Amino acid sequence: MDAPVTRSTASLIPSPEGAGRPNYTLRQKTSDSGEIAGDLLEVSMGPQHPSTHGVFRMDVVLDGERVVKLKPVFGYLHRNHEKIAEDTTYLGSMPYTDRLDYFCSLTNNWAYALAVEKLAGLQAPERAEYIRVITAELTRLVNHTCLVGFLLQDMGASGTPLMYAFREREKVLDLFESLTGARMMCNYMRFGGCRCDLPPGWLEAARQVVDSYPRFLDEFERLLSENEILIARTQGVGVLPGDLAVNASISGPMLRASGVNYDIRKVDKYGIYDRFPFRVPLGEHGDTYDRYTVRVLEMRESVGILEQALRDIPPGPIMDPKSKIRGFRPKPGEAYGRIEGPKGELGFYLISDGGPNPYRYRVRPPSFINLTILEDMCLGHMVADVVVILGSVDIVLGEVDR
Amino acid sequence: MLGEGIIKGLAETARNFIGSYVDEERLTTVQYPEERLPAKEAARNFPFLVFDGTDAHAGLRCVACQICEKECPPQCIYIEKSKDKKPDYVGKAQFYPAVFDIDTSVCMSCQICVEVCPFDAIKMDTEFELSNTDRFGGLLFDKHRLARSNEYYHRIHPTEAAEVDSHLATEKAKIEAKTKADAEAKARAAAAKAAAPPTPKPAPAAASH
């Protein structure tokens, strides 16, 4: 007889009645006479599926076109980053952090530098802190712009939004290249500061990009936010209630889209974020549309932070004089440095035994942990919605698998 | 009205499409490889070895100290130290790399070799068209392929190269001043020794000290 589907994670996460749980029951399967009627179908989506943003596989059990069960399978891009980092010098791991979430190498750099600075007792000078805020917020712009483009691409709007997003991203990547030498694998931050000072004329170029960004966001929103197809595909799809999100340690824009006011820039005030007044956009429903809107609003707040930081940046040194490149050995101890990355809480946990390389090195990757709740968001939805929900989680497989 | 949002969005697309005919700003792509964007001064792609003057062997700054080999995160550098020595830019006899190989297929252009090098001998190139039909030998660059003149370095990274040159010049001046002072001190000591009456033999107490 009809029996309600139990969720695999239901015992883990107590949630209020009906919240996040699709309210439907399975049709009766194979009848007693052996006639095949509405059999469950197991589909392996990925690892080469274009919508999975890389090599990621979902084992989906389908009833017709509705998802009954979903198991994320990852590890195809596992590169042993954490173990390699335990064998490499502290500085040697810095370029590898670029390759975690390859859209936001500068925020990855910052999180790692923050952890090592805590470990070694270094303090970045004020100018370096400003440069860090500027590059991190530019990274946030890049990440959210691309995410929206990819999300629309997953929804079937192939081309236009993604190309518009990439056009804007390229301007920011040009800034990164003239500052750090590389567009994506920046490897820019160092323990106690930044590698090199801003080149002449960089601030003006950055100001131009930042000033033109709201115009692009307006254009983007005119293109998308009121689009009926987008609304029909995203509103009410993949609802993630706030308490479930908190219990599953979701972080970043995904958590805020569920209405939980938690932004590490506000909570920890790491770096110099206490100097910048900005608002934290929150969603109401926790659906895919809210996750989209929160990101667009966050970009506008980032533009505000950038304008202020580019105005106030002081002259001065960019490296802590105590820091050194060769023979860097922090004293024994442990440290956890975390920042609000574009995807969520990005943390690095390090234990030092006084040697040239960390004794233990662990990354808290936001997109990996945000992915764990995928099944609960997808149950009861169509296969095509799974693609959209996965797009709105904002994963990068380099970071999920490490 | 249903569909209003879509029409608004399509108007935006049309504006971009028509705009690309009238506004140069909206044409963001170039026809590579016929057209190229100028390289950024900070751009980095693959390391090279700097030599001063015209002779790649005599002017090579690298002294085969192997620091970059140890610090390279993916360990793509292989160095063999020479048996003999050659004079470096201040005239001091130094080892040089008998073998200096970098594997292009492993290098990740992170610039850490440049940062750790105490001799300003290895720098980052901006050349990015490194594709090769030979999978093994062609991707392993030896020191002859890696050696580039200081003029080339000045051409691709003018600001940085000027800084390096002035730094090296001060170092050289410092060392020359020091050797000169040392030589003078030695000469003075020798002169003093020659002037002083010869001591018969050192006292045992002084020897134990």
Side-chain angles (χ1 to χ4, degrees), chain A residues 96 99 164 167 180-181 185-187 190 195 219 222-223 226 228 326, chain B residues 3-6 8-9 12-13 16 42 44 73 108 110-111 115-116:
Chain A
Y96 287 128
R99 284 140 176 98
Y164 286 11
R167 186 188 64 201
T180 70
M185 302 299 138
C186 296
N187 182 20
R190 291 288 174 267
R195 195 183 73 219
E219 182 190 294
R222 274 201 302 277
L223 183 68
E226 292 170 32
E228 282 83 359
R326 284 192 300 271
Chain B
E4 205 182 328
I6 296 177
K8 261 194 209 167
E12 203 54 54
T13 322
N16 271 279
R44 63 182 147 95
M108 59 177 179
C110 64
Q111 210 182 11
E115 276 167 65
V116 297

PDB file of all heavy atoms in Angstrom, chain A residues 96 99 164 167 180-181 185-187 190 195 219 222-223 226 228 326, chain B residues 3-6 8-9 12-13 16 42 44 73 108 110-111 115-116:
ATOM      1  N   TYR A  96      48.298  25.904  -3.926  1.00  0.00           N
ATOM      2  CA  TYR A  96      47.305  24.835  -4.019  1.00  0.00           C
ATOM      3  C   TYR A  96      45.930  25.326  -3.563  1.00  0.00           C
ATOM      4  O   TYR A  96      44.914  24.816  -4.027  1.00  0.00           O
ATOM      5  CB  TYR A  96      47.725  23.634  -3.178  1.00  0.00           C
ATOM      6  CG  TYR A  96      48.860  22.853  -3.754  1.00  0.00           C
ATOM      7  CD1 TYR A  96      49.986  22.561  -3.009  1.00  0.00           C
ATOM      8  CD2 TYR A  96      48.802  22.386  -5.058  1.00  0.00           C
ATOM      9  CE1 TYR A  96      51.031  21.841  -3.547  1.00  0.00           C
ATOM     10  CE2 TYR A  96      49.846  21.673  -5.597  1.00  0.00           C
ATOM     11  CZ  TYR A  96      50.952  21.400  -4.843  1.00  0.00           C
ATOM     12  OH  TYR A  96      51.991  20.692  -5.383  1.00  0.00           O
ATOM     13  N   ARG A  99      43.577  26.435  -6.124  1.00  0.00           N
ATOM     14  CA  ARG A  99      42.938  25.415  -6.961  1.00  0.00           C
ATOM     15  C   ARG A  99      41.808  24.700  -6.246  1.00  0.00           C
ATOM     16  O   ARG A  99      41.267  23.741  -6.790  1.00  0.00           O
ATOM     17  CB  ARG A  99      43.998  24.423  -7.421  1.00  0.00           C
ATOM     18  CG  ARG A  99      44.852  25.001  -8.513  1.00  0.00           C
ATOM     19  CD  ARG A  99      46.278  24.644  -8.381  1.00  0.00           C
ATOM     20  NE  ARG A  99      47.052  25.155  -9.502  1.00  0.00           N
ATOM     21  CZ  ARG A  99      47.749  26.280  -9.478  1.00  0.00           C
ATOM     22  NH1 ARG A  99      47.767  27.020  -8.396  1.00  0.00           N
ATOM     23  NH2 ARG A  99      48.413  26.677 -10.520  1.00  0.00           N
ATOM     24  N   TYR A 164      26.992  37.318 -20.706  1.00  0.00           N
ATOM     25  CA  TYR A 164      27.012  38.649 -20.091  1.00  0.00           C
ATOM     26  C   TYR A 164      27.812  38.607 -18.794  1.00  0.00           C
ATOM     27  O   TYR A 164      28.589  39.523 -18.493  1.00  0.00           O
ATOM     28  CB  TYR A 164      25.582  39.124 -19.792  1.00  0.00           C
ATOM     29  CG  TYR A 164      24.789  39.541 -21.017  1.00  0.00           C
ATOM     30  CD1 TYR A 164      25.251  39.272 -22.289  1.00  0.00           C
ATOM     31  CD2 TYR A 164      23.581  40.208 -20.880  1.00  0.00           C
ATOM     32  CE1 TYR A 164      24.531  39.633 -23.394  1.00  0.00           C
ATOM     33  CE2 TYR A 164      22.850  40.581 -21.994  1.00  0.00           C
ATOM     34  CZ  TYR A 164      23.326  40.290 -23.247  1.00  0.00           C
ATOM     35  OH  TYR A 164      22.616  40.649 -24.342  1.00  0.00           O
ATOM     36  N   ARG A 167      31.463  38.416 -19.558  1.00  0.00           N
ATOM     37  CA  ARG A 167      31.980  39.694 -20.043  1.00  0.00           C
ATOM     38  C   ARG A 167      32.380  40.570 -18.861  1.00  0.00           C
ATOM     39  O   ARG A 167      33.460  41.173 -18.858  1.00  0.00           O
ATOM     40  CB  ARG A 167      30.886  40.380 -20.862  1.00  0.00           C
ATOM     41  CG  ARG A 167      31.305  41.637 -21.551  1.00  0.00           C
ATOM     42  CD  ARG A 167      30.106  42.318 -22.164  1.00  0.00           C
ATOM     43  NE  ARG A 167      29.161  42.738 -21.140  1.00  0.00           N
ATOM     44  CZ  ARG A 167      27.862  42.985 -21.367  1.00  0.00           C
ATOM     45  NH1 ARG A 167      27.361  42.832 -22.566  1.00  0.00           N
ATOM     46  NH2 ARG A 167      27.079  43.370 -20.384  1.00  0.00           N
ATOM     47  N   THR A 180      48.195  40.541  -9.693  1.00  0.00           N
ATOM     48  CA  THR A 180      48.840  39.336  -9.182  1.00  0.00           C
ATOM     49  C   THR A 180      49.592  38.576 -10.255  1.00  0.00           C
ATOM     50  O   THR A 180      50.357  37.679  -9.931  1.00  0.00           O
ATOM     51  CB  THR A 180      47.802  38.381  -8.587  1.00  0.00           C
ATOM     52  OG1 THR A 180      47.017  37.833  -9.654  1.00  0.00           O
ATOM     53  CG2 THR A 180      46.887  39.087  -7.641  1.00  0.00           C
ATOM     54  N   GLY A 181      49.356  38.879 -11.523  1.00  0.00           N
ATOM     55  CA  GLY A 181      50.072  38.174 -12.575  1.00  0.00           C
ATOM     56  C   GLY A 181      49.287  37.044 -13.188  1.00  0.00           C
ATOM     57  O   GLY A 181      49.670  36.546 -14.231  1.00  0.00           O
ATOM     58  N   MET A 185      44.602  31.783 -10.981  1.00  0.00           N
ATOM     59  CA  MET A 185      45.446  31.186  -9.948  1.00  0.00           C
ATOM     60  C   MET A 185      46.351  32.271  -9.377  1.00  0.00           C
ATOM     61  O   MET A 185      47.531  32.350  -9.697  1.00  0.00           O
ATOM     62  CB  MET A 185      46.276  30.050 -10.553  1.00  0.00           C
ATOM     63  CG  MET A 185      45.450  28.967 -11.180  1.00  0.00           C
ATOM     64  SD  MET A 185      44.380  28.208  -9.976  1.00  0.00           S
ATOM     65  CE  MET A 185      42.870  28.033 -10.888  1.00  0.00           C
ATOM     66  N   CYS A 186      45.749  33.128  -8.548  1.00  0.00           N
ATOM     67  CA  CYS A 186      46.427  34.372  -8.187  1.00  0.00           C
ATOM     68  C   CYS A 186      47.637  34.158  -7.291  1.00  0.00           C
ATOM     69  O   CYS A 186      48.664  34.765  -7.506  1.00  0.00           O
ATOM     70  CB  CYS A 186      45.450  35.308  -7.507  1.00  0.00           C
ATOM     71  SG  CYS A 186      44.128  35.795  -8.607  1.00  0.00           S
ATOM     72  N   ASN A 187      47.521  33.313  -6.273  1.00  0.00           N
ATOM     73  CA  ASN A 187      48.628  33.049  -5.349  1.00  0.00           C
ATOM     74  C   ASN A 187      49.211  34.374  -4.859  1.00  0.00           C
ATOM     75  O   ASN A 187      50.386  34.640  -5.004  1.00  0.00           O
ATOM     76  CB  ASN A 187      49.692  32.211  -6.069  1.00  0.00           C
ATOM     77  CG  ASN A 187      50.837  31.847  -5.168  1.00  0.00           C
ATOM     78  OD1 ASN A 187      50.698  31.880  -3.955  1.00  0.00           O
ATOM     79  ND2 ASN A 187      51.958  31.520  -5.754  1.00  0.00           N
ATOM     80  N   ARG A 190      50.196  36.544   1.307  1.00  0.00           N
ATOM     81  CA  ARG A 190      51.289  35.908   2.034  1.00  0.00           C
ATOM     82  C   ARG A 190      50.983  36.020   3.512  1.00  0.00           C
ATOM     83  O   ARG A 190      50.126  36.790   3.928  1.00  0.00           O
ATOM     84  CB  ARG A 190      52.612  36.605   1.715  1.00  0.00           C
ATOM     85  CG  ARG A 190      53.078  36.369   0.301  1.00  0.00           C
ATOM     86  CD  ARG A 190      53.557  34.947   0.117  1.00  0.00           C
ATOM     87  NE  ARG A 190      53.885  34.665  -1.256  1.00  0.00           N
ATOM     88  CZ  ARG A 190      53.059  34.144  -2.138  1.00  0.00           C
ATOM     89  NH1 ARG A 190      51.811  33.877  -1.803  1.00  0.00           N
ATOM     90  NH2 ARG A 190      53.426  33.880  -3.359  1.00  0.00           N
ATOM     91  N   ARG A 195      51.762  39.825  -1.502  1.00  0.00           N
ATOM     92  CA  ARG A 195      53.035  39.586  -2.165  1.00  0.00           C
ATOM     93  C   ARG A 195      53.637  40.858  -2.738  1.00  0.00           C
ATOM     94  O   ARG A 195      54.821  41.093  -2.628  1.00  0.00           O
ATOM     95  CB  ARG A 195      52.847  38.565  -3.271  1.00  0.00           C
ATOM     96  CG  ARG A 195      54.135  37.995  -3.754  1.00  0.00           C
ATOM     97  CD  ARG A 195      53.907  37.046  -4.889  1.00  0.00           C
ATOM     98  NE  ARG A 195      53.547  37.767  -6.089  1.00  0.00           N
ATOM     99  CZ  ARG A 195      52.644  37.360  -6.963  1.00  0.00           C
ATOM    100  NH1 ARG A 195      51.997  36.254  -6.757  1.00  0.00           N
ATOM    101  NH2 ARG A 195      52.361  38.063  -8.016  1.00  0.00           N
ATOM    102  N   GLU A 219      21.214  45.887 -15.577  1.00  0.00           N
ATOM    103  CA  GLU A 219      20.947  45.227 -16.856  1.00  0.00           C
ATOM    104  C   GLU A 219      20.641  43.750 -16.640  1.00  0.00           C
ATOM    105  O   GLU A 219      19.683  43.205 -17.205  1.00  0.00           O
ATOM    106  CB  GLU A 219      22.189  45.388 -17.740  1.00  0.00           C
ATOM    107  CG  GLU A 219      22.071  44.805 -19.127  1.00  0.00           C
ATOM    108  CD  GLU A 219      23.413  44.797 -19.847  1.00  0.00           C
ATOM    109  OE1 GLU A 219      23.912  45.898 -20.120  1.00  0.00           O
ATOM    110  OE2 GLU A 219      23.949  43.722 -20.120  1.00  0.00           O
ATOM    111  N   ARG A 222      17.201  43.405 -15.141  1.00  0.00           N
ATOM    112  CA  ARG A 222      16.148  43.619 -16.138  1.00  0.00           C
ATOM    113  C   ARG A 222      16.006  42.388 -17.019  1.00  0.00           C
ATOM    114  O   ARG A 222      14.929  42.010 -17.430  1.00  0.00           O
ATOM    115  CB  ARG A 222      16.481  44.828 -17.009  1.00  0.00           C
ATOM    116  CG  ARG A 222      16.034  46.148 -16.449  1.00  0.00           C
ATOM    117  CD  ARG A 222      15.929  47.200 -17.546  1.00  0.00           C
ATOM    118  NE  ARG A 222      17.185  47.406 -18.260  1.00  0.00           N
ATOM    119  CZ  ARG A 222      18.173  48.191 -17.825  1.00  0.00           C
ATOM    120  NH1 ARG A 222      18.058  48.837 -16.688  1.00  0.00           N
ATOM    121  NH2 ARG A 222      19.283  48.326 -18.534  1.00  0.00           N
ATOM    122  N   LEU A 223      17.185  41.783 -17.269  1.00  0.00           N
ATOM    123  CA  LEU A 223      17.177  40.598 -18.119  1.00  0.00           C
ATOM    124  C   LEU A 223      16.502  39.431 -17.423  1.00  0.00           C
ATOM    125  O   LEU A 223      15.810  38.642 -18.054  1.00  0.00           O
ATOM    126  CB  LEU A 223      18.627  40.241 -18.468  1.00  0.00           C
ATOM    127  CG  LEU A 223      18.899  39.078 -19.393  1.00  0.00           C
ATOM    128  CD1 LEU A 223      18.430  39.415 -20.782  1.00  0.00           C
ATOM    129  CD2 LEU A 223      20.377  38.762 -19.420  1.00  0.00           C
ATOM    130  N   GLU A 226      12.618  39.537 -13.482  1.00  0.00           N
ATOM    131  CA  GLU A 226      11.173  39.492 -13.660  1.00  0.00           C
ATOM    132  C   GLU A 226      10.767  38.479 -14.714  1.00  0.00           C
ATOM    133  O   GLU A 226       9.584  38.375 -15.050  1.00  0.00           O
ATOM    134  CB  GLU A 226      10.660  40.878 -14.066  1.00  0.00           C
ATOM    135  CG  GLU A 226      10.794  41.873 -12.941  1.00  0.00           C
ATOM    136  CD  GLU A 226      10.512  43.276 -13.423  1.00  0.00           C
ATOM    137  OE1 GLU A 226       9.689  43.422 -14.338  1.00  0.00           O
ATOM    138  OE2 GLU A 226      11.125  44.196 -12.886  1.00  0.00           O
ATOM    139  N   GLU A 228       9.370  35.562 -16.427  1.00  0.00           N
ATOM    140  CA  GLU A 228       8.356  34.634 -15.925  1.00  0.00           C
ATOM    141  C   GLU A 228       8.859  33.192 -15.916  1.00  0.00           C
ATOM    142  O   GLU A 228       8.477  32.410 -15.046  1.00  0.00           O
ATOM    143  CB  GLU A 228       7.085  34.724 -16.774  1.00  0.00           C
ATOM    144  CG  GLU A 228       6.217  35.926 -16.468  1.00  0.00           C
ATOM    145  CD  GLU A 228       6.702  37.160 -17.188  1.00  0.00           C
ATOM    146  OE1 GLU A 228       7.707  37.076 -17.894  1.00  0.00           O
ATOM    147  OE2 GLU A 228       6.077  38.220 -17.021  1.00  0.00           O
ATOM    148  N   ARG A 326      61.663  32.433   3.457  1.00  0.00           N
ATOM    149  CA  ARG A 326      62.405  31.180   3.640  1.00  0.00           C
ATOM    150  C   ARG A 326      62.497  30.849   5.122  1.00  0.00           C
ATOM    151  O   ARG A 326      62.619  31.738   5.965  1.00  0.00           O
ATOM    152  CB  ARG A 326      63.811  31.324   3.060  1.00  0.00           C
ATOM    153  CG  ARG A 326      63.866  31.264   1.565  1.00  0.00           C
ATOM    154  CD  ARG A 326      65.292  31.113   1.083  1.00  0.00           C
ATOM    155  NE  ARG A 326      66.119  32.227   1.503  1.00  0.00           N
ATOM    156  CZ  ARG A 326      66.263  33.348   0.795  1.00  0.00           C
ATOM    157  NH1 ARG A 326      65.637  33.470  -0.345  1.00  0.00           N
ATOM    158  NH2 ARG A 326      67.016  34.317   1.231  1.00  0.00           N
TER     159      ARG A 326
ATOM    160  N   GLY B   3       4.430  37.545 -19.430  1.00  0.00           N
ATOM    161  CA  GLY B   3       5.362  37.677 -20.543  1.00  0.00           C
ATOM    162  C   GLY B   3       6.030  39.028 -20.597  1.00  0.00           C
ATOM    163  O   GLY B   3       6.918  39.245 -21.413  1.00  0.00           O
ATOM    164  N   GLU B   4       5.619  39.926 -19.724  1.00  0.00           N
ATOM    165  CA  GLU B   4       6.222  41.257 -19.730  1.00  0.00           C
ATOM    166  C   GLU B   4       7.712  41.192 -19.388  1.00  0.00           C
ATOM    167  O   GLU B   4       8.542  41.847 -20.021  1.00  0.00           O
ATOM    168  CB  GLU B   4       5.488  42.129 -18.712  1.00  0.00           C
ATOM    169  CG  GLU B   4       5.565  43.599 -19.014  1.00  0.00           C
ATOM    170  CD  GLU B   4       4.856  44.406 -17.932  1.00  0.00           C
ATOM    171  OE1 GLU B   4       3.871  43.887 -17.377  1.00  0.00           O
ATOM    172  OE2 GLU B   4       5.282  45.522 -17.664  1.00  0.00           O
ATOM    173  N   GLY B   5       8.004  40.360 -18.372  1.00  0.00           N
ATOM    174  CA  GLY B   5       9.397  40.229 -17.948  1.00  0.00           C
ATOM    175  C   GLY B   5      10.262  39.679 -19.051  1.00  0.00           C
ATOM    176  O   GLY B   5      11.398  40.117 -19.244  1.00  0.00           O
ATOM    177  N   ILE B   6       9.706  38.744 -19.798  1.00  0.00           N
ATOM    178  CA  ILE B   6      10.489  38.147 -20.883  1.00  0.00           C
ATOM    179  C   ILE B   6      10.765  39.200 -21.950  1.00  0.00           C
ATOM    180  O   ILE B   6      11.883  39.309 -22.469  1.00  0.00           O
ATOM    181  CB  ILE B   6       9.727  36.947 -21.477  1.00  0.00           C
ATOM    182  CG1 ILE B   6       9.588  35.862 -20.416  1.00  0.00           C
ATOM    183  CG2 ILE B   6      10.433  36.417 -22.701  1.00  0.00           C
ATOM    184  CD1 ILE B   6       8.809  34.664 -20.852  1.00  0.00           C
ATOM    185  N   LYS B   8      10.887  42.428 -21.578  1.00  0.00           N
ATOM    186  CA  LYS B   8      11.898  43.359 -21.047  1.00  0.00           C
ATOM    187  C   LYS B   8      13.298  42.784 -21.209  1.00  0.00           C
ATOM    188  O   LYS B   8      14.238  43.470 -21.612  1.00  0.00           O
ATOM    189  CB  LYS B   8      11.631  43.609 -19.564  1.00  0.00           C
ATOM    190  CG  LYS B   8      10.896  44.873 -19.244  1.00  0.00           C
ATOM    191  CD  LYS B   8      11.035  45.102 -17.756  1.00  0.00           C
ATOM    192  CE  LYS B   8       9.857  45.846 -17.198  1.00  0.00           C
ATOM    193  NZ  LYS B   8       9.840  45.789 -15.732  1.00  0.00           N
ATOM    194  N   GLY B   9      13.408  41.497 -20.869  1.00  0.00           N
ATOM    195  CA  GLY B   9      14.712  40.850 -20.977  1.00  0.00           C
ATOM    196  C   GLY B   9      15.199  40.795 -22.406  1.00  0.00           C
ATOM    197  O   GLY B   9      16.372  41.053 -22.692  1.00  0.00           O
ATOM    198  N   GLU B  12      16.636  43.925 -23.555  1.00  0.00           N
ATOM    199  CA  GLU B  12      18.023  44.079 -23.087  1.00  0.00           C
ATOM    200  C   GLU B  12      18.984  43.358 -24.030  1.00  0.00           C
ATOM    201  O   GLU B  12      20.032  43.889 -24.399  1.00  0.00           O
ATOM    202  CB  GLU B  12      18.114  43.493 -21.679  1.00  0.00           C
ATOM    203  CG  GLU B  12      19.237  44.021 -20.855  1.00  0.00           C
ATOM    204  CD  GLU B  12      19.216  45.534 -20.791  1.00  0.00           C
ATOM    205  OE1 GLU B  12      18.189  46.142 -20.420  1.00  0.00           O
ATOM    206  OE2 GLU B  12      20.261  46.085 -21.159  1.00  0.00           O
ATOM    207  N   THR B  13      18.596  42.162 -24.428  1.00  0.00           N
ATOM    208  CA  THR B  13      19.440  41.411 -25.371  1.00  0.00           C
ATOM    209  C   THR B  13      19.566  42.168 -26.683  1.00  0.00           C
ATOM    210  O   THR B  13      20.658  42.254 -27.259  1.00  0.00           O
ATOM    211  CB  THR B  13      18.825  40.029 -25.649  1.00  0.00           C
ATOM    212  OG1 THR B  13      18.267  39.532 -24.443  1.00  0.00           O
ATOM    213  CG2 THR B  13      19.857  39.078 -26.151  1.00  0.00           C
ATOM    214  N   ASN B  16      21.963  45.003 -26.460  1.00  0.00           N
ATOM    215  CA  ASN B  16      23.352  44.551 -26.533  1.00  0.00           C
ATOM    216  C   ASN B  16      23.740  44.171 -27.949  1.00  0.00           C
ATOM    217  O   ASN B  16      24.847  44.445 -28.390  1.00  0.00           O
ATOM    218  CB  ASN B  16      23.557  43.356 -25.607  1.00  0.00           C
ATOM    219  CG  ASN B  16      23.946  43.770 -24.220  1.00  0.00           C
ATOM    220  OD1 ASN B  16      25.097  44.053 -23.959  1.00  0.00           O
ATOM    221  ND2 ASN B  16      22.974  43.856 -23.342  1.00  0.00           N
ATOM    222  N   ALA B  42      52.527  42.573 -15.088  1.00  0.00           N
ATOM    223  CA  ALA B  42      52.709  41.624 -13.997  1.00  0.00           C
ATOM    224  C   ALA B  42      52.486  40.183 -14.428  1.00  0.00           C
ATOM    225  O   ALA B  42      52.690  39.279 -13.631  1.00  0.00           O
ATOM    226  CB  ALA B  42      51.747  41.961 -12.862  1.00  0.00           C
ATOM    227  N   ARG B  44      52.483  36.455 -15.502  1.00  0.00           N
ATOM    228  CA  ARG B  44      53.516  35.444 -15.293  1.00  0.00           C
ATOM    229  C   ARG B  44      53.008  34.145 -15.866  1.00  0.00           C
ATOM    230  O   ARG B  44      51.824  33.848 -15.785  1.00  0.00           O
ATOM    231  CB  ARG B  44      53.817  35.286 -13.808  1.00  0.00           C
ATOM    232  CG  ARG B  44      52.641  34.781 -13.004  1.00  0.00           C
ATOM    233  CD  ARG B  44      53.011  34.687 -11.539  1.00  0.00           C
ATOM    234  NE  ARG B  44      51.879  34.967 -10.689  1.00  0.00           N
ATOM    235  CZ  ARG B  44      51.087  34.030 -10.176  1.00  0.00           C
ATOM    236  NH1 ARG B  44      51.274  32.774 -10.452  1.00  0.00           N
ATOM    237  NH2 ARG B  44      50.084  34.356  -9.394  1.00  0.00           N
ATOM    238  N   PRO B  73      56.529  23.798  -4.978  1.00  0.00           N
ATOM    239  CA  PRO B  73      55.474  22.915  -4.457  1.00  0.00           C
ATOM    240  C   PRO B  73      55.241  21.654  -5.294  1.00  0.00           C
ATOM    241  O   PRO B  73      55.168  20.571  -4.727  1.00  0.00           O
ATOM    242  CB  PRO B  73      54.246  23.815  -4.411  1.00  0.00           C
ATOM    243  CG  PRO B  73      54.759  25.189  -4.403  1.00  0.00           C
ATOM    244  CD  PRO B  73      56.043  25.165  -5.140  1.00  0.00           C
ATOM    245  N   MET B 108      53.251  24.893 -12.174  1.00  0.00           N
ATOM    246  CA  MET B 108      51.946  25.528 -12.096  1.00  0.00           C
ATOM    247  C   MET B 108      52.056  27.045 -12.027  1.00  0.00           C
ATOM    248  O   MET B 108      51.121  27.714 -11.618  1.00  0.00           O
ATOM    249  CB  MET B 108      51.149  24.972 -10.935  1.00  0.00           C
ATOM    250  CG  MET B 108      51.760  25.122  -9.581  1.00  0.00           C
ATOM    251  SD  MET B 108      50.605  24.464  -8.364  1.00  0.00           S
ATOM    252  CE  MET B 108      51.503  24.686  -6.868  1.00  0.00           C
ATOM    253  N   CYS B 110      53.450  29.246 -10.125  1.00  0.00           N
ATOM    254  CA  CYS B 110      53.035  29.874  -8.868  1.00  0.00           C
ATOM    255  C   CYS B 110      53.994  30.963  -8.441  1.00  0.00           C
ATOM    256  O   CYS B 110      53.692  31.718  -7.536  1.00  0.00           O
ATOM    257  CB  CYS B 110      52.928  28.840  -7.776  1.00  0.00           C
ATOM    258  SG  CYS B 110      54.473  28.048  -7.351  1.00  0.00           S
ATOM    259  N   GLN B 111      55.161  31.032  -9.023  1.00  0.00           N
ATOM    260  CA  GLN B 111      56.126  32.096  -8.753  1.00  0.00           C
ATOM    261  C   GLN B 111      56.876  31.935  -7.439  1.00  0.00           C
ATOM    262  O   GLN B 111      57.608  32.829  -7.046  1.00  0.00           O
ATOM    263  CB  GLN B 111      55.410  33.465  -8.754  1.00  0.00           C
ATOM    264  CG  GLN B 111      56.305  34.583  -9.210  1.00  0.00           C
ATOM    265  CD  GLN B 111      55.637  35.920  -9.180  1.00  0.00           C
ATOM    266  OE1 GLN B 111      54.561  36.055  -8.637  1.00  0.00           O
ATOM    267  NE2 GLN B 111      56.250  36.893  -9.765  1.00  0.00           N
ATOM    268  N   GLU B 115      60.259  33.942  -5.731  1.00  0.00           N
ATOM    269  CA  GLU B 115      60.275  34.626  -4.441  1.00  0.00           C
ATOM    270  C   GLU B 115      61.382  34.129  -3.536  1.00  0.00           C
ATOM    271  O   GLU B 115      61.932  34.898  -2.748  1.00  0.00           O
ATOM    272  CB  GLU B 115      58.936  34.412  -3.739  1.00  0.00           C
ATOM    273  CG  GLU B 115      57.902  35.403  -4.199  1.00  0.00           C
ATOM    274  CD  GLU B 115      56.535  34.994  -3.746  1.00  0.00           C
ATOM    275  OE1 GLU B 115      56.312  34.988  -2.536  1.00  0.00           O
ATOM    276  OE2 GLU B 115      55.711  34.667  -4.601  1.00  0.00           O
ATOM    277  N   VAL B 116      61.702  32.830  -3.604  1.00  0.00           N
ATOM    278  CA  VAL B 116      62.699  32.312  -2.679  1.00  0.00           C
ATOM    279  C   VAL B 116      64.119  32.496  -3.195  1.00  0.00           C
ATOM    280  O   VAL B 116      65.062  32.345  -2.437  1.00  0.00           O
ATOM    281  CB  VAL B 116      62.459  30.814  -2.362  1.00  0.00           C
ATOM    282  CG1 VAL B 116      61.132  30.633  -1.682  1.00  0.00           C
ATOM    283  CG2 VAL B 116      62.569  29.965  -3.595  1.00  0.00           C
TER     284      VAL B 116
END
